[in-house]
Amino acid sequence: MKKECKKKYLIWLFPVAVAVMIFSFSSQHAEQSSHLSNIFVQMFLQIRENLGWFPTVADTDLVHVFSTLVRKGAHVTEYIILCTSFLTAFWVSGIRGKWRNIASFALTFCYACTDEFHQLFVPGRAGRFTDVLIDSSGALVLSLIVVLVMHSRK
């Protein structure tokens, strides 16, 4: 195999690295995960206090809402990055067209399923199919955007 040909397959380390990152976040027990999310929530509350936003909403209600949004938003973002890494790896490997998009989404969806299964064994975490759908929603939106861009170029 030519040296150049071998190098183009190194791009597959990108989706592997993203998958390892997701796995490590999913391995955190519930308290660790919530603490990490709440750091961002507390930063938002500080900004809100300084700017005078949402003056009639109780902080406990706001913390709960924004904690959920931060956690779910982080999951969606992780899986957008994973799907992007698959799209890139397929592109560099020479796979083009709809199969690149389908395979990237399918691999991302399958990884979301295995990640939720993995969370069944992590203290305080739960594996839920609704979380698979939330995780995969970012990859689905990205895939639809890629399809629209592909069709607009034709």
Side-chain angles (χ1 to χ4, degrees), residues 44-58:
F44 173 79
L45 288 176
Q46 185 63 44
I47 292 168
R48 176 197 72 122
E49 185 178 310
N50 292 341
L51 297 175
W53 291 353
F54 305 108
T56 59
V57 179

Side-chain angles (χ1 to χ4, degrees), residues 9-24 81-86 89 107 111:
Y9 292 107
L10 288 176
I11 192 68
W12 285 96
L13 293 176
F14 182 36
V16 169
V18 175
V20 167
M21 177 198 69
I22 292 171
F23 183 86
S24 70
I81 294 169
L82 181 62
C83 190
T84 301
S85 70
F86 282 128
L107 287 170
Y111 191 79

Side-chain angles (χ1 to χ4, degrees), residues 10-78:
L10 288 176
I11 192 68
W12 285 96
L13 293 176
F14 182 36
V16 169
V18 175
V20 167
M21 177 198 69
I22 292 171
F23 183 86
S24 70
F25 285 140
S26 294
S27 296
Q28 295 175 339
H29 58 77
E31 290 174 17
Q32 285 177 304
S33 180
S34 293
H35 176 71
L36 186 60
S37 299
N38 287 338
I39 290 171
F40 292 100
V41 173
Q42 293 303 323
M43 286 183 349
F44 173 79
L45 288 176
Q46 185 63 44
I47 292 168
R48 176 197 72 122
E49 185 178 310
N50 292 341
L51 297 175
W53 291 353
F54 305 108
T56 59
V57 179
D59 278 353
T60 54
D61 295 336
L62 199 58
V63 166
H64 178 70
V65 167
F66 280 105
S67 180
T68 301
L69 287 174
V70 166
R71 281 195 327 273
K72 299 307 178 186
H75 282 249
V76 169
T77 303
E78 289 171 347

